[in-house]
Amino acid sequence: AGNYVGNNIIQDDIFSLINWAREENRTGIEHRHISTIAIFFRKNNEVYRGYAQIKKRVDSDIRIRIQGANNSELWREREIFHVLQYLRGRGQQQIIISDDTTQNELKKYIADLMQQHPKWDQEYLDICYTLILNYLDSIRSDENSHTFTEMADEVQDIAGRDDSGQIYKIYDRYKKERLIQDDNISLILTTMHKVKGLEFDAVMTTPSTASLPLVAHRKFNEGDPAMADDRADIDEERRLLFVAYTRAKKYLHVYKWKREKAIEKYRLFPTFEDSRLGVTEREASIGNYVLSYAAQPRNFQMNEYIRNNVKKDDPVEVVRVERSYNGRYYYVYEIRHENKAIGQLNSNGKKKSNLVIEAEKNGISRLKGFFISDVCVWTHQDSLDYDEKNDTTYTNNWCPQSIEQGYVMLVQIAGFGK
């Protein structure tokens, strides 16, 4: 089948599957209706690689999303964080349950946000609304009084769990109450680890290039037989594939390439990177970025620009910029949106971005081909905690305005740099 979803055969099959689903939906027979198509990957970076290719060809009537692959908690997303701020702003005000007053107020508030902020991710706002509905239903029979702060804490707790399956179970449960009501097919890209307990009308599993075993303790060649220590890892991979296959309710399409065949035969498979695809991050990590960039005095106004003008999927470039400090010249690598700096890649220490490593090694001054994968927040407390854990000093760069605001905007990118 070839490697990655960059393979045209796999892409063509995905869109053949979408067209087939459209035809099934036109029949009007409910039990044959296809509303969700999930494309499964083994690793997060494979999700983003697939997304970079697929999104170029998706028609406007298909809603496409990445589920559970972002490297920060869902509550950090710009849209959800904004709603949480609003709830906490109402503090100890009591929630009125008896006549749905609170529900109607919040429904209007989030619907208005959708209208006021066309650059924001509408589905994230819709997800947040269903998490609020879930909380309101959980306290309906409770005789105790509850506050908006308690609601915010509960929504953040659910939206902060590593297993995003719970979030999307709630989202599916409130399908009829969602603010986004359409019959469009949802195309969901996710990892096999993030789908336990979830089901989709149609599922396609893609071939992976992840090493087998994932952590190699010795050198080996492709096809070497698994030793005793390897068999447990391979058994876990077999169980993971079984979970993936059983997520399909109506249709399953399985690709098997070298790694999948190695799993079947208890053989080993070494990972590889296809440099023809371009330069990319080996692993999505929040540590790839200068976390205090938008908190610095000269950059604080950038927060407003990111909040109002940056949209997920917008194209961005990585550009090398010369700086000086105490007479010493050095390079940094900025993330630019419409030629405006909105972030900076980490150029120091163990967390150095792979994009910076490749750019430095090959004398690259500009990389195109990336897109915004997430627009999220980084709080002052997060910065303090991160510095303590990683022996860094990012918080020293926070200006008084950033500290008073309590957070800064952080963009994350994905794609293939050319």
Side-chain angles (χ1 to χ4, degrees):
N3 60 315
Y4 306 131
V5 176
N7 183 292
N8 287 332
I9 297 173
I10 302 177
Q11 285 191 52
D12 289 345
D13 282 354
I14 289 171
F15 289 96
S16 293
L17 176 56
I18 290 172
N19 289 331
W20 169 80
R22 287 188 178 115
E23 288 301 317
E24 289 296 299
N25 295 347
R26 288 191 187 104
T27 66
I29 302 173
E30 187 174 352
H31 72 269
R32 291 172 60 176
H33 194 274
I34 303 292
S35 61
T36 54
I37 299 175
I39 314 296
F40 291 169
F41 301 82
R42 179 60 184 83
K43 297 174 68 179
N44 281 349
N45 63 348
E46 293 176 351
V47 173
Y48 283 116
R49 287 173 174 179
Y51 183 75
Q53 300 297 320
I54 294 170
K55 73 185 183 72
K56 299 174 184 176
R57 298 178 55 183
V58 171
D59 294 332
S60 58
D61 67 323
I62 302 296
R63 289 195 285 120
I64 179 172
R65 74 167 186 251
I66 295 175
Q67 177 174 308
N70 51 321
N71 53 67
S72 57
E73 300 96 328
L74 197 65
W75 66 265
R76 295 185 185 279
E77 298 293 341
R78 168 183 56 188
E79 297 78 5
I80 296 178
F81 183 80
H82 186 91
V83 176
L84 291 176
Q85 275 194 307
Y86 173 76
L87 297 178
R88 291 202 166 96
R90 297 180 69 168
Q92 299 305 307
Q93 181 180 340
Q94 290 191 0
I95 295 170
I96 301 173
I97 292 292
S98 57
D99 59 356
D100 288 334
T101 298
T102 298
Q103 178 178 330
N104 292 333
E105 287 178 356
L106 293 177
K107 181 178 183 179
K108 183 180 185 305
Y109 171 72
I110 296 176
D112 287 345
L113 286 179
M114 290 179 170
Q115 294 292 324
Q116 295 163 8
H117 297 279
K119 297 281 188 178
W120 286 16
D121 190 305
Q122 306 292 291
E123 192 165 51
Y124 278 153
L125 288 170
D126 206 18
I127 288 170
C128 192
Y129 177 60
T130 61
L131 295 181
I132 288 171
L133 293 181
N134 179 68
Y135 175 77
L136 291 174
D137 282 346
S138 73
I139 63 172
R140 285 192 190 281
S141 59
D142 191 338
E143 295 181 358
N144 298 323
S145 61
H146 295 274
T147 68
F148 282 86
T149 295
E150 291 172 342
M151 177 191 288
D153 290 342
E154 178 65 18
V155 170
Q156 179 170 329
D157 179 61
I158 294 176
R161 296 173 188 172
D162 289 337
D163 182 5
S164 62
Q166 177 65 16
I167 297 169
Y168 287 97
K169 283 181 185 176
I170 293 170
Y171 191 51
D172 287 343
R173 187 188 312 154
Y174 289 95
K175 186 174 182 178
K176 293 183 179 179
E177 289 83 11
R178 293 179 195 168
L179 294 170
I180 299 174
Q181 290 289 334
D182 58 43
D183 293 325
N184 292 352
I185 296 170
S186 291
L187 185 64
I188 301 144
L189 280 65
T190 185
T191 62
M192 297 176 186
H193 277 296
K194 297 293 185 179
V195 297
K196 188 175 182 180
L198 297 176
E199 289 185 323
F200 308 90
D201 293 327
V203 166
M204 178 182 286
T205 66
T206 63
S208 175
T209 59
S211 177
L212 186 67
L214 289 178
V215 180
H217 300 288
R218 66 187 188 286
K219 290 185 178 180
F220 60 85
N221 297 313
E222 183 180 317
D224 283 354
M227 300 180 69
D229 291 345
D230 305 320
R231 292 184 72 89
D233 290 337
I234 294 178
D235 281 337
E236 178 59 29
E237 294 295 307
R238 292 166 72 98
R239 285 190 289 270
L240 190 62
L241 287 172
F242 177 78
V243 169
Y245 299 159
T246 55
R247 299 307 89 200
K249 291 196 290 186
K250 303 178 183 180
Y251 179 92
L252 174 65
H253 187 118
V254 175
Y255 275 104
K256 293 182 181 179
W257 194 49
K258 292 182 179 181
R259 186 178 190 272
E260 291 69 37
K261 292 177 180 178
I263 291 172
E264 291 180 345
K265 299 176 181 178
Y266 282 94
R267 299 282 176 173
L268 304 185
F269 175 78
T271 189
F272 71 89
E273 298 289 337
D274 190 343
S275 61
R276 294 171 300 174
L277 293 173
V279 182
T280 187
E281 295 289 9
R282 295 190 183 280
E283 289 294 338
S285 168
I286 206 164
N288 291 329
Y289 307 91
V290 176
L291 300 174
S292 61
Y293 189 70
Q296 299 169 20
R298 67 176 182 270
N299 296 330
F300 180 71
Q301 296 302 320
M302 183 191 308
N303 289 284
E304 195 67 17
Y305 178 83
I306 295 173
R307 181 182 292 108
N308 296 320
N309 299 287
V310 175
K311 185 179 181 181
K312 277 179 65 175
D313 290 342
D314 278 356
V316 291
E317 297 179 350
V318 171
V319 180
R320 184 177 68 188
V321 179
E322 188 177 68
R323 296 268 173 81
S324 64
Y325 179 74
N326 288 339
R328 183 178 67 88
Y329 290 89
Y330 61 98
Y331 290 114
V332 299
Y333 291 83
E334 291 181 343
I335 301 167
R336 291 193 177 176
H337 177 268
E338 297 182 353
N339 208 33
K340 183 178 181 66
I342 58 170
Q344 183 178 316
L345 295 176
N346 193 341
S347 302
N348 299 305
K350 296 178 181 178
K351 298 285 187 178
K352 181 183 286 192
S353 161
N354 186 61
L355 300 180
V356 172
I357 293 172
E358 292 298 321
E360 291 177 339
K361 183 170 65 177
N362 297 290
I364 298 170
S365 60
R366 184 182 296 266
L367 285 166
K368 298 182 178 182
F370 297 108
F371 60 90
I372 301 290
S373 60
D374 287 285
V375 182
C376 57
V377 299
W378 188 249
T379 70
H380 186 248
Q381 187 60 51
D382 291 331
S383 188
L384 291 168
D385 295 342
Y386 187 91
D387 282 345
E388 182 178 357
K389 181 179 178 180
N390 295 278
D391 194 27
T392 52
T393 57
Y394 286 119
T395 314
N396 293 346
N397 298 323
W398 282 60
C399 67
Q401 299 101 308
S402 300
I403 295 173
E404 182 181 0
Q405 180 172 269
Y407 68 91
V408 291
M409 306 299 290
L410 178 69
V411 297
Q412 299 173 60
I413 65 174
F416 301 93
K418 297 286 188 178

